[in-house]
Amino acid sequence: MAETRKIHKVLKSKPTIEGAGVHLKRAFGHSQVPMFDPFLLLDDFRSDNPMHYSKGFPWHPHRGIETITYVLRGDVEHGDSMGNKGFISSGDVQWMTAGSGIIHQEMPKGDPDGLMFGFQLWANLPKSHKMTEPRYRDVKSNQIPEAVLENGTKIRIICGKVNGKQGPVRDIAIDPEYIDVTVPARSEFTHPTKRGHTVFAYVIEGKGYFCKEKNPFSYEIEGANYFDIQRDPFISNKTLVLFDDGDQMMVSTEDDAVRFLLISGKPIVEPVAWYGPIVMNTEDELRIAFEEYSHGTFIKHKRA
């Protein structure tokens, strides 16, 4: 019999400022390593104030990780040291493998109404892949398949497979799944998960019950006001649920629908040496990376 995962921890995203002054909400990050292994951070950059995002993320390096950007509203202009440039727009995904080193910029533009909605996930690379050749994937919205279940649940499949439909992003070292799920009101959604994989859900609209747990405040909840939790025991917008191990996850709704990002991956279980945009296995590897960046020898694979 399939074992349903239980809630391990609940986290409320916290405000922070990154890049050249971008205001965002961080669902998890450096202080939670290695709890989310193989993932490093998840940022929520939804905003209706261009002053909070327009300065963006000017040219900066990455090594040893993958960055996954998912845009729901607005545009993000990008460019990198491999010669890639352009825009990712509503519904698009940018899956960038930094590998041995890449220098890039990401400049949010918002939509005509000034709205900029999106998320960026960082995934670690195992030691065997940290110095691999960088790879860039620009996935357009119309390339992302959608599955609709009998109860009306809608699933956009960025990475992984649902109901025989395969997401466009494949061949990733950590064997990830990344799906965008909307469960209608008064419904239940159960989804199989691989045993041993780290699995979490980040709610981006509405509210629901996860794992049939109607008292999530009985768990340690980071970044939340105790009295707010007492008034509303649902898991709601800008809240993350990290699950224990098991064969499946479950969510149910009452009067409101719920939309969430469901993400999973195989833990790497290796040392993490992390400073800023570079993540390696040792402090010595970090030192070398920053020395190379300073000396202009950071890029190991140049554009052909």
Side-chain angles (χ1 to χ4, degrees):
M1 183 176 178
E3 180 183 1
T4 299
R5 291 177 181 252
K6 294 181 171 60
I7 294 175
H8 178 74
K9 199 165 191 175
V10 178
L11 297 88
K12 292 290 288 185
S13 59
K14 300 178 182 180
T16 189
I17 298 177
E18 290 289 356
V22 178
H23 294 242
L24 49 81
K25 292 288 187 74
R26 179 153 293 162
F28 67 90
H30 202 289
S31 63
Q32 281 81 34
V33 171
M35 187 189 308
F36 285 85
D37 185 17
F39 303 106
L40 298 163
L41 67 76
L42 176 64
D43 283 344
D44 179 340
F45 55 90
R46 289 178 286 175
S47 176
D48 59 3
N49 184 353
M51 294 295 291
H52 286 174
Y53 61 77
S54 59
K55 292 182 180 179
F57 304 88
W59 294 97
H60 59 280
H62 284 296
R63 176 178 286 179
I65 65 171
E66 298 183 288
T67 64
I68 301 101
T69 306
Y70 181 31
V71 176
L72 295 184
R73 293 282 298 272
D75 298 321
V76 178
E77 184 179 10
H78 63 86
D80 65 40
S81 53
M82 293 187 292
N84 299 302
K85 60 182 179 179
F87 288 86
I88 52 172
S89 301
S90 301
D92 296 349
V93 171
Q94 179 194 93
W95 197 297
M96 192 272 292
T97 304
S100 63
I102 193 170
I103 301 173
H104 77 160
Q105 67 170 350
E106 300 159 296
M107 305 302 289
K109 301 299 181 181
D111 69 5
D113 296 320
L115 300 177
M116 184 71 249
F117 290 2
F119 310 91
Q120 186 168 91
L121 175 71
W122 286 17
N124 201 4
L125 284 169
K127 183 177 180 64
S128 59
H129 287 66
K130 282 196 178 292
M131 296 301 288
T132 193
E133 184 174 353
R135 180 169 56 170
Y136 173 86
R137 308 183 196 201
D138 192 351
V139 183
K140 297 303 181 184
S141 181
N142 60 11
Q143 297 174 301
I144 299 174
E146 183 175 284
V148 181
L149 307 186
E150 289 184 3
N151 68 354
T153 295
K154 296 180 181 179
I155 307 168
R156 298 194 81 218
I157 310 156
I158 296 165
C159 187
K161 193 173 185 179
V162 178
N163 277 18
K165 295 185 177 182
Q166 178 76 50
V169 180
R170 309 182 190 187
D171 305 319
I172 304 296
I174 58 170
D175 188 24
E177 180 176 68
Y178 191 143
I179 58 177
D180 175 353
V181 183
T182 302
V183 182
R186 294 173 292 281
S187 301
E188 185 174 278
F189 171 68
T190 301
H191 183 70
T193 58
K194 293 183 180 179
R195 272 204 167 263
H197 282 212
T198 298
V199 180
F200 66 89
Y202 182 63
V203 176
I204 61 175
E205 289 180 18
K207 57 187 179 180
Y209 295 121
F210 287 81
C211 313
K212 296 192 173 180
E213 176 57 73
K214 297 191 176 183
N215 293 295
F217 52 81
S218 64
Y219 297 85
E220 181 182 356
I221 301 184
E222 294 188 2
N225 182 298
Y226 176 77
F227 296 103
D228 287 342
I229 298 166
Q230 290 281 18
R231 286 197 297 268
D232 188 357
F234 292 93
I235 302 295
S236 56
N237 190 25
K238 300 179 183 177
T239 306
L240 182 146
V241 181
L242 176 65
F243 301 102
D244 283 331
D245 203 6
D247 304 300
Q248 61 186 21
M249 61 76 61
M250 178 183 294
V251 60
S252 55
T253 58
E254 291 193 352
D255 293 334
D256 297 285
V258 66
R259 184 179 182 183
F260 57 94
L261 308 177
L262 183 63
I263 298 168
S264 67
K266 183 180 180 180
I268 295 172
V269 196
E270 291 179 354
V272 174
W274 178 3
Y275 186 79
I278 297 175
V279 184
M280 303 301 289
N281 293 106
T282 69
E283 293 298 322
D284 192 51
E285 290 170 340
L286 270 185
R287 177 187 58 79
I288 291 170
F290 281 101
E291 284 181 356
E292 290 180 344
Y293 184 61
S294 178
H295 297 154
T297 58
F298 184 76
I299 300 300
K300 305 301 181 185
H301 297 89
K302 298 183 183 296
R303 183 184 182 190

